[in-house]
Amino acid sequence: MIKMTNFKMKTVKEGDVTSPLGFQAVGIHCGIKKKRKDLGLILSEGPAVSAAVYTTNAFQAAPLKVTQQSLAKGSTLRALVVNSGNANAFTGEQGMVDALMMRNAVADSFQLSPWEVAVTSTGVIGERLPIEKILAGIEQLPHLLGEDGASFSEAILTTDTFAKSLAVEIEIEGKTVTIGGTAKGSGMIHPNMATMLAFVTTDAKIHPDVLQRLLHHVTDQTFNMITVDGDTSTNDMVLVMANGFAGHTELTEAHPDWPVFVHGFHYVSEQLAKMIAQDGEGATKLIEVVVQGAATEEMAKVIAKKIVGSNLVKTAVFGADGNWGRVVMAIGNSGFYVDEKQLDITIGHTLVVQKGIVMNYEEEAVTQSFKENKVKILVDLNQGEQSATAWGCDLTYDYVKINASYRT
Amino acid sequence: MIKMTNFKMKTVKEGDVTSPLGFQAVGIHCGIKKKRKDLGLILSEGPAVSAAVYTTNAFQAAPLKVTQQSLAKGSTLRALVVNSGNANAFTGEQGMVDALMMRNAVADSFQLSPWEVAVTSTGVIGERLPIEKILAGIEQLPHLLGEDGASFSEAILTTDTFAKSLAVEIEIEGKTVTIGGTAKGSGMIHPNMATMLAFVTTDAKIHPDVLQRLLHHVTDQTFNMITVDGDTSTNDMVLVMANGFAGHTELTEAHPDWPVFVHGFHYVSEQLAKMIAQDGEGATKLIEVVVQGAATEEMAKVIAKKIVGSNLVKTAVFGADGNWGRVVMAIGNSGFYVDEKQLDITIGHTLVVQKGIVMNYEEEAVTQSFKENKVKILVDLNQGEQSATAWGCDLTYDYVKINASYRT
């Protein structure tokens, strides 16, 4: 993991996907949802080198297949269109036809090649898209488009309670480079392309293969390290568009300022990932689990995700019941050999277990830690040098409420 | 899987672990819990050939290690002692000392060798056993022991809402053979020695290796096919004791009545497993998922468990929201290749998807199916001949409530 220190980076006030040069965006209501915004578009004024990662769910939704087709034609995009309220997943041939119609309509409206357009959808699985409404909505987009990243970030939401956007400025060859991003959660969120959509824009210039590698690497440490409910959606996608408007020479791993870009890109991804975890359905708290002292990075990741994904840990955090025995149980379920006698567990600032021995700690201090907005659990396996961080949220009455009546 | 038909079998009225000849049991309150029973014992009047399977959690609790030691000395047991309210898990050397003290106390009280005693515990992880209370309780057991399987089945409960017992009679060589069983759930319940305790007694005579093989086989199709919350406990154990009092010749796979015994044993195990699923923490409904048409049995099992274990499927069932798209999502997360175009999904009696095409079905019929006490989901992959059944329960407000304040 790249360390987050020693790099000059500035957060853009109210930054979003339109903060980088040459990006416009908008979000509107086209009628899929009853009232809220449900159609959004990001447009780059010039070709943007693009890369994407997709859900591991075997039933990839139609729009993801269409986006893969676009990116297979060439690694540049001009536009991304997204609808919420309907996932266009498990919709068979008709779903492909509808996703292609969305792509073509955007291409027509903005005089682009269809291959320059990415498509994605989020919402209910197994129902046909209301394509007429979407096509009518797309026709309006050219008249409404502007630097309106805020409305775009609203248009992609489903059960999210807040829009998630940020942007940062870094310096490459002395020039200002901006990286913006937006994302939505907030159910079906689980590692391996955690259930979500995230879009990152930048005016950096970067080689397409390098961008794809970076996206994979950073996604594994950020978006793939969050979980809300252990369910992986059919529609997950992270897409990054880099249009090069900042005017520096092309970035590769050999560029002297490469670490600066990685730092900024990692930061934007991690912040979005944490916002998704924090806004998990019904969540009242963000849970951050750090596992260190692991023999391998994979081991650290799996154990961190097991802990943060355990329903029993999540309910204990919700109830502020400092029942760290459930953390032990979750570690034991990782499938890795863990030496009980080497294990340290710290809840908040309280060391509750050291080398497998239960400490004489203040119960009240642990309870207090579980009442914070951000609950920290640190596990040291003392078996090696590798570490990982995972993020999740508590499991609450509202999670049940939201999901017992999602479609009503 | 053995078919459940064409065998003569009779359910014993109010049957339990004392229904087979030569078994006694009792459950008492020794003071681990505030009021409810928390200490139980099963005694066989003669040596009982025994077999057990244990949790896959890496942090196996001390009593399981002690039981393994007993069974390693010889494959017969006379007694099983169990306490609830404290799991004696993650308790280090002290935990081993305490579990051994429990075993020795039972051996002393009943004039047995320590190796003839199995020990197990269930409850909170990471706290030392109140061993003085338990030892005082064990001293009382000889005076109270009788055919009191009902009190035993109460003494093993934690958050369970009802005691789980049954017994059946079968015929071997024209002689009546009885198989009794009892079990407890109801949180930390997940495949691979689903979190639970189950004890089966029988007066059948059976070869120890044969009994161990049978237990493994049947557990894989019953206790390992249930899930409540995806968390596997440190203390799971299924133990079977066969004392041979029925007086037939020794059972092996070659015995002509072997299928009859398998049938009875499978039935008792499956009924107990279903009772555990039905009594999952906060559950209002039993969910039964049948996956057929799979290329391999493993594939059928994994997919069935993925569906029944999905928080999103479980909340949809709770809310009687016929959102079968979540079933699709769960299938897609199994890690197996599934051909979307071959998939049939039936909810209750309603075929909602046939060969990947959404049917024009009655929404109300699906909603109604989700309102039943037992919700049936049938998936046909149409890719082969293998099938599997898994059981679980809905995810409710009460699950959150129970687990947000387990220790208080």
Side-chain angles (χ1 to χ4, degrees):
Chain A
M1 175 142 63
I2 300 289
K3 289 279 174 217
M4 285 300 168
T5 45
N6 305 324
F7 290 104
K8 217 165 89 183
M9 191 176 75
K10 207 179 98 187
T11 301
V12 179
K13 202 180 163 196
E14 297 183 2
D16 58 44
V17 289
T18 62
S19 299
L21 296 174
F23 283 99
Q24 293 188 298
V26 70
I28 67 167
H29 171 74
C30 79
I32 309 171
K33 295 180 187 168
K34 275 176 201 146
K35 282 188 180 168
R36 291 182 304 143
K37 291 189 175 65
D38 51 20
L39 184 70
L41 183 103
I42 300 175
L43 185 79
S44 171
E45 288 163 30
V49 165
S50 299
V53 287
Y54 309 92
T55 182
T56 55
N57 192 297
F59 301 133
Q60 255 183 20
L64 277 68
K65 293 175 188 164
V66 169
T67 297
Q68 284 167 71
Q69 281 181 12
S70 288
L71 281 171
K73 268 281 174 176
S75 43
T76 59
L77 294 175
R78 287 286 306 282
L80 163 85
V81 63
V82 54
N83 74 273
S84 58
N86 184 314
N88 192 12
F90 206 74
T91 43
E93 297 300 327
Q94 186 62 55
M96 282 301 289
V97 171
D98 291 340
L100 288 167
M101 283 174 75
M102 279 178 75
R103 182 171 75 171
N104 289 342
V106 170
D108 287 350
S109 293
F110 294 93
Q111 289 86 50
L112 307 175
S113 144
W115 318 114
E116 293 180 304
V117 181
V119 181
T120 192
S121 303
T122 177
V124 176
I125 295 171
E127 294 182 7
R128 200 195 151 182
L129 276 187
I131 190 69
E132 295 304 329
K133 290 177 183 173
I134 292 172
L135 296 181
I138 289 172
E139 275 183 32
Q140 297 176 49
L141 294 178
H143 317 296
L144 300 168
L145 194 67
E147 297 206 352
D148 195 0
S151 69
F152 177 85
S153 66
E154 282 173 42
I156 63 177
L157 304 182
T158 54
T159 52
D160 304 64
T161 65
F162 60 87
K164 300 161 186 70
S165 282
L166 82 159
V168 297
E169 288 177 3
I170 52 176
E171 258 187 37
I172 290 175
E173 298 171 7
K175 294 192 164 72
T176 297
V177 166
T178 307
I179 305 173
T182 188
K184 62 83 48 182
S186 72
M188 284 198 198
I189 301 285
H190 191 57
N192 288 319
M193 196 63 285
T195 316
M196 46 155 227
L197 300 177
F199 308 112
V200 178
T201 55
T202 179
D203 43 25
K205 184 175 167 68
I206 182 165
H207 188 278
D209 296 347
V210 175
L211 186 62
Q212 185 69 51
R213 275 199 296 274
L214 176 67
L215 178 63
H216 267 291
H217 180 73
V218 170
T219 296
D220 269 351
Q221 293 183 336
T222 56
F223 297 116
N224 281 345
M225 291 304 289
I226 58 176
T227 184
V228 167
D229 53 15
D231 281 318
T232 302
S233 145
T234 50
N235 287 57
D236 300 336
M237 183 164 102
V238 181
L239 182 97
V240 51
M241 298 168 74
N243 66 10
F245 278 37
H248 57 81
T249 60
E250 187 177 68
L251 284 172
T252 67
E253 284 98 340
H255 191 289
D257 288 336
W258 173 246
V260 181
F261 185 73
V262 171
H263 172 55
F265 188 77
H266 191 290
Y267 180 81
V268 168
S269 300
E270 181 173 307
Q271 291 303 312
L272 290 174
K274 285 165 75 168
M275 283 189 250
I276 292 170
Q278 183 173 18
D279 194 26
E281 285 173 338
T284 67
K285 297 164 193 170
L286 175 69
I287 307 176
E288 180 175 283
V289 176
V290 177
V291 172
Q292 59 193 39
T296 64
E297 191 187 0
E298 180 65 13
M299 181 183 186
K301 280 182 177 176
V302 169
I303 293 175
K305 287 195 283 191
K306 268 282 174 193
I307 297 168
V308 89
S310 158
N311 276 354
L312 288 167
V313 171
K314 290 154 64 73
T315 45
V317 169
F318 173 55
D321 176 8
N323 193 342
W324 56 263
R326 295 178 177 176
V327 174
V328 171
M329 175 278 303
I331 296 167
N333 283 327
S334 69
F336 286 94
Y337 169 76
V338 175
D339 184 356
E340 182 172 334
K341 296 197 184 71
Q342 291 299 318
L343 196 61
D344 300 343
I345 300 175
T346 305
I347 308 286
H349 299 289
T350 309
L351 184 67
V352 295
V353 173
Q354 187 170 41
K355 301 278 178 181
I357 309 279
V358 181
M359 307 299 286
N360 189 14
Y361 63 89
E362 295 277 339
E363 177 81 28
E364 182 54 29
V366 174
T367 306
Q368 208 50 49
S369 299
F370 273 17
K371 286 183 179 161
E372 308 275 334
N373 286 335
K374 183 174 173 184
V375 173
K376 288 190 169 194
I377 299 172
L378 170 65
V379 171
D380 197 328
L381 306 172
N382 290 302
Q383 291 180 219
E385 300 296 321
Q386 299 300 311
S387 65
T389 306
W391 298 273
C393 59
D394 51 346
L395 174 58
T396 70
Y397 298 119
D398 278 352
Y399 176 85
V400 176
K401 186 173 178 184
I402 291 163
N403 284 299
S405 58
Y406 178 62
R407 301 188 311 167
T408 54
Chain B
M1 177 139 60
I2 301 287
K3 289 280 176 219
M4 286 299 168
T5 48
N6 305 324
F7 291 104
K8 217 166 87 182
M9 193 177 74
K10 206 180 98 188
T11 302
V12 179
K13 202 181 163 195
E14 298 183 1
D16 58 45
V17 289
T18 63
S19 299
L21 295 174
F23 283 99
Q24 293 188 296
V26 70
I28 67 167
H29 171 75
C30 79
I32 309 171
K33 294 180 186 168
K34 275 176 201 148
K35 283 186 179 173
R36 292 182 303 143
K37 293 189 174 64
D38 50 21
L39 183 69
L41 181 103
I42 299 175
L43 184 78
S44 172
E45 289 163 29
V49 165
S50 300
V53 287
Y54 309 91
T55 183
T56 56
N57 192 296
F59 301 133
Q60 254 182 20
L64 278 69
K65 293 175 188 164
V66 169
T67 297
Q68 283 166 72
Q69 281 180 12
S70 288
L71 281 171
K73 268 281 174 177
S75 43
T76 58
L77 293 175
R78 287 286 307 282
L80 163 84
V81 63
V82 53
N83 75 272
S84 58
N86 184 313
N88 192 12
F90 206 74
T91 42
E93 296 300 328
Q94 185 64 54
M96 282 301 289
V97 170
D98 291 340
L100 289 166
M101 284 174 76
M102 280 178 75
R103 182 171 75 170
N104 290 341
V106 170
D108 287 349
S109 293
F110 294 91
Q111 289 84 52
L112 307 174
S113 142
W115 318 113
E116 293 180 301
V117 181
V119 182
T120 191
S121 303
T122 177
V124 176
I125 295 171
E127 293 182 8
R128 199 195 152 183
L129 276 187
I131 190 69
E132 296 304 331
K133 291 177 183 173
I134 293 172
L135 297 181
I138 289 171
E139 274 183 30
Q140 297 177 50
L141 295 178
H143 317 295
L144 301 168
L145 194 67
E147 296 205 352
D148 195 0
S151 69
F152 177 86
S153 66
E154 283 173 42
I156 64 176
L157 305 181
T158 53
T159 52
D160 304 63
T161 65
F162 60 88
K164 300 161 186 72
S165 281
L166 82 159
V168 297
E169 289 176 4
I170 52 176
E171 259 187 34
I172 289 176
E173 298 170 8
K175 295 193 164 74
T176 297
V177 166
T178 307
I179 306 172
T182 188
K184 59 87 43 182
S186 69
M188 284 200 199
I189 300 286
H190 191 57
N192 288 318
M193 198 62 284
T195 317
M196 47 156 227
L197 301 176
F199 309 112
V200 178
T201 55
T202 179
D203 44 24
K205 185 175 167 67
I206 183 165
H207 188 280
D209 295 348
V210 175
L211 186 62
Q212 184 69 51
R213 275 199 296 274
L214 177 67
L215 178 64
H216 266 293
H217 181 72
V218 170
T219 296
D220 268 351
Q221 293 182 337
T222 56
F223 297 116
N224 281 346
M225 290 305 288
I226 58 175
T227 184
V228 167
D229 53 16
D231 282 318
T232 302
S233 145
T234 49
N235 287 56
D236 299 337
M237 183 163 102
V238 180
L239 181 94
V240 51
M241 298 168 74
N243 67 9
F245 277 38
H248 57 81
T249 60
E250 188 178 66
L251 284 171
T252 67
E253 285 97 341
H255 192 288
D257 288 336
W258 174 247
V260 181
F261 185 74
V262 172
H263 171 54
F265 188 77
H266 191 290
Y267 179 81
V268 168
S269 300
E270 182 174 307
Q271 291 303 312
L272 290 174
K274 285 165 75 167
M275 283 189 251
I276 292 171
Q278 182 173 18
D279 194 25
E281 285 172 337
T284 68
K285 296 164 194 170
L286 175 68
I287 308 177
E288 180 176 284
V289 176
V290 177
V291 172
Q292 57 191 42
T296 64
E297 192 188 358
E298 179 65 14
M299 182 183 186
K301 280 182 175 174
V302 169
I303 292 175
K305 288 195 283 191
K306 268 282 173 191
I307 296 168
V308 89
S310 158
N311 275 355
L312 288 167
V313 171
K314 289 153 66 73
T315 45
V317 169
F318 172 56
D321 176 7
N323 193 342
W324 55 264
R326 294 178 179 176
V327 174
V328 171
M329 174 279 302
I331 297 168
N333 283 328
S334 68
F336 286 94
Y337 169 75
V338 175
D339 184 357
E340 181 172 337
K341 295 196 183 72
Q342 291 300 317
L343 196 62
D344 299 343
I345 300 175
T346 305
I347 309 287
H349 300 289
T350 310
L351 184 68
V352 296
V353 172
Q354 188 171 40
K355 301 277 177 183
I357 310 277
V358 182
M359 307 299 287
N360 190 13
Y361 63 89
E362 295 277 341
E363 176 82 27
E364 182 53 29
V366 174
T367 305
Q368 207 50 49
S369 299
F370 273 16
K371 286 182 178 162
E372 308 276 335
N373 286 335
K374 183 176 173 182
V375 174
K376 289 189 170 195
I377 299 172
L378 170 64
V379 171
D380 198 328
L381 306 173
N382 290 301
Q383 290 180 219
E385 298 297 321
Q386 298 301 311
S387 65
T389 305
W391 298 275
C393 60
D394 52 345
L395 174 58
T396 70
Y397 298 120
D398 278 351
Y399 176 85
V400 176
K401 187 174 176 183
I402 291 163
N403 284 299
S405 57
Y406 178 64
R407 302 188 311 167
T408 52

